[in-house]
């Protein structure tokens, strides 16, 4: 049972029915993978990348942004969970026990779901307190990471070992992408003064909506012209 199968079931029924719930339950609590007893021949690079979430947590501590004290996002708790829990769990489940029947898969999956939800919370905080460029780049990195994760699930389902290794390694590059974005935002663009929120994504969004609203009203009041042209005409 794989997550992609559950998503397919949901797409077919377009409802969170008992069949979908049973599928998700079986996927979440299974203690083995499709590669049970397989000779995966995982190299040291693969094992090292499993610790990428620990790196991600450490980079959060080093690059702690100003918005962390404004948002209700549990920034420090999230960072320490990445360092001391998610990183070791990834290595335990994906490197040490990928071909074994082990409770490690259930525990790793449980924390991964929690951290997934927490990252959505972080993305929301970026929307309110960070530069638009930071928000959109991290959203793009997150979307790419999920694309890699789902392709890895498909590779498992197809028993494609090499394909799974490829997509799994890319999935674990996600913390490096996020750290690179934070470094670029701080050291190349300059540390963002989030207290003013003048350049935050939410402020940018409000300006876009406001300008769009003005343009729409203008086109309704003065069809075929703009406010600026009307002002000049007067």
């Amino acid at each position: 049972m794989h997550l992609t199968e559950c998503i397919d079931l949901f797409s077919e029924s377009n409802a969170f029915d008992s069949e979908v719930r049973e599928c998700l339950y079986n996927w979440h609590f299974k203690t083995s993978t499709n590669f049970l007893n397989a000779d995966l021949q995982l190299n040291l690079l693969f094992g090292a990348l499993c610790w990428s979430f620990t790196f991600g947590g450490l980079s959060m501590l080093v690059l702690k942004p100003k918005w962390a004290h404004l948002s209700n996002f549990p920034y420090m708790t999230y960072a320490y969970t990445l360092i001391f829990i998610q990183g070791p769990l990834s290595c335990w489940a994906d490197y040490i026990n990928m071909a074994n029947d082990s409770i490690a898969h259930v525990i790793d999956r449980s924390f991964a779901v929690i951290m997934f939800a927490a990252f959505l919370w972080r993305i929301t905080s970026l929307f309110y307190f960070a530069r638009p460029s930071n928000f959109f780049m991290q959203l793009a990195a997150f979307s790419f990471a999920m694309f890699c994760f789902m392709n890895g699930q498909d590779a498992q389902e197809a028993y494609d070992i090499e394909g799974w290794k490829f997509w799994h390694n890319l999935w674990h590059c996600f913390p490096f992408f996020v750290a690179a974005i934070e470094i670029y935002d701080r050291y190349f663009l300059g540390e963002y003064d989030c207290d003013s929120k003048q350049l935050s994504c939410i402020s940018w969004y409000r300006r876009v909506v406001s300008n769009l609203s003005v343009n729409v009203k203008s086109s309704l009041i003065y069809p075929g012209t703009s406010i600026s042209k009307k002002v000049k005409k007067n």
Side-chain angles (χ1 to χ4, degrees), residues 55-56 59-60 63 119 122-123 126 134 137-139 141-142 145 173-185:
F55 168 84
S59 70
M60 284 181 67
L63 300 168
F119 192 84
R122 171 177 168 157
I123 283 285
L126 289 175
N134 191 335
M137 284 191 292
Q138 291 209 33
L139 181 61
F142 176 71
C173 287
F174 174 54
F176 300 115
F177 296 150
V178 171
I181 292 167
E182 291 289 351
I183 290 171
Y184 173 75
D185 185 74

Side-chain angles (χ1 to χ4, degrees), residues 172-231:
H172 273 280
C173 287
F174 174 54
F176 300 115
F177 296 150
V178 171
I181 292 167
E182 291 289 351
I183 290 171
Y184 173 75
D185 185 74
R186 171 175 290 195
Y187 296 108
F188 288 83
L189 299 181
E191 190 168 13
Y192 177 62
D193 183 12
C194 55
D195 291 299
S196 67
K197 293 192 265 188
Q198 293 178 353
L199 297 175
S200 67
C201 199
I202 185 63
S203 298
W204 170 83
Y205 173 77
R206 284 170 178 165
R207 287 197 301 272
V208 170
V209 172
S210 177
N211 291 336
L212 183 61
S213 176
V214 168
N215 289 334
V216 169
K217 288 180 181 178
S218 172
S219 64
L220 291 175
I221 298 172
Y222 310 114
T225 187
S226 66
I227 287 181
S228 60
K229 290 181 179 178
K230 185 67 179 177
V231 170

